Amino acid sequence: MDQELEQEFVTLLEDNQNILHKICRLYTSDLNSHQDLFQEMVIQLWGSFPKYRGEAKFSTWAYRVSLNTAISMYRGSRKKITTVSWDNSLANIQYEEYNDQKDQQLNWLYNAVKQLNDIDKALVYLYLEEKDYKEISETLGISVINARVKMNRIKTKLKEMIAKKVC
């Protein structure tokens, strides 16, 4: 890959790395797992970047690749994630430590969301990121109507969980 493409990737990833951190937080429960998943998502994004056509925003594309990576890793399936070789130049990406204190008030919500299935977690995450239903449907590969219906059901379920103090 040429230097220009590599620099474009590094810049886009640095600008959007909080997407990866938030997904890691939903799908992991400790720092080591968070860092492992983050690294795997970066590797998957880098391997897929030559196929990125720019038809969707980079953040939408990164959501899709990262969510699919997280779901694949933590679904418990025996499928292996195919990785690409690590290029030493990617080691220059600045890793920002995730600041858990900023989101203390959301811990109860994260705990409830963690109890949802993988697809519902992804839908809630995108909803909380204030993505519109069109972008959510594109990211998850479902219809807009299905995204709306699923989100309404999830809201009801989360309200019930919180009311029962299940989380």
Side-chain angles (χ1 to χ4, degrees):
M1 234 180 258
D2 65 21
Q3 287 287 87
E4 190 175 307
L5 188 62
E6 183 178 311
Q7 186 56 48
E8 178 185 4
F9 175 76
V10 169
T11 300
L12 288 167
L13 184 60
E14 285 177 344
D15 291 346
N16 291 280
Q17 71 175 296
N18 280 338
I19 292 169
L20 279 65
H21 284 299
K22 290 174 184 175
I23 293 170
C24 288
R25 181 157 185 212
L26 280 176
Y27 287 89
T28 64
S29 57
D30 61 76
L31 183 60
N32 287 335
S33 297
H34 181 110
Q35 290 173 337
D36 289 347
L37 180 56
F38 183 90
Q39 180 177 339
E40 186 61 35
M41 287 188 291
V42 170
I43 291 168
Q44 294 299 320
L45 286 165
W46 174 243
S48 301
F49 191 65
K51 297 174 195 159
Y52 172 63
R53 297 181 305 264
E55 293 171 359
K57 293 189 295 187
F58 179 82
S59 60
T60 301
W61 176 78
Y63 277 123
R64 176 170 252 169
V65 172
S66 298
L67 283 167
N68 286 336
T69 301
I71 289 168
S72 295
M73 279 187 73
Y74 289 96
R75 192 170 256 178
S77 69
R78 295 184 178 190
K79 296 178 189 172
K80 288 241 178 214
I81 296 174
T82 305
T83 60
V84 295
S85 61
W86 181 259
D87 187 339
N88 285 336
S89 61
L90 291 177
N92 295 330
I93 293 174
Q94 293 287 339
Y95 177 86
E96 293 176 10
E97 201 62 42
Y98 184 72
N99 184 353
D100 193 31
Q101 293 177 351
K102 285 195 294 188
D103 292 327
Q104 283 295 341
Q105 68 273 22
L106 293 178
N107 279 337
W108 64 268
L109 182 58
Y110 277 108
N111 289 335
V113 170
K114 281 183 178 186
Q115 295 178 43
L116 299 174
N117 70 46
D118 292 335
I119 301 301
D120 290 352
K121 279 184 207 176
L123 201 148
V124 169
Y125 169 69
L126 293 169
Y127 182 82
L128 291 174
E129 286 292 303
E130 299 179 355
K131 301 300 177 190
D132 61 35
Y133 283 107
K134 184 178 187 296
E135 190 169 354
I136 290 171
S137 68
E138 289 171 359
T139 302
L140 297 179
I142 60 177
S143 70
V144 173
I145 293 170
N146 193 2
R148 287 180 190 274
V149 169
K150 285 178 82 61
M151 192 63 231
N152 284 330
R153 290 179 182 159
I154 293 167
K155 285 178 188 178
T156 301
K157 186 175 185 176
L158 289 173
K159 286 177 188 174
E160 290 171 0
M161 290 169 66
I162 292 166
K164 293 178 183 177
K165 299 187 187 316
V166 172
C167 49

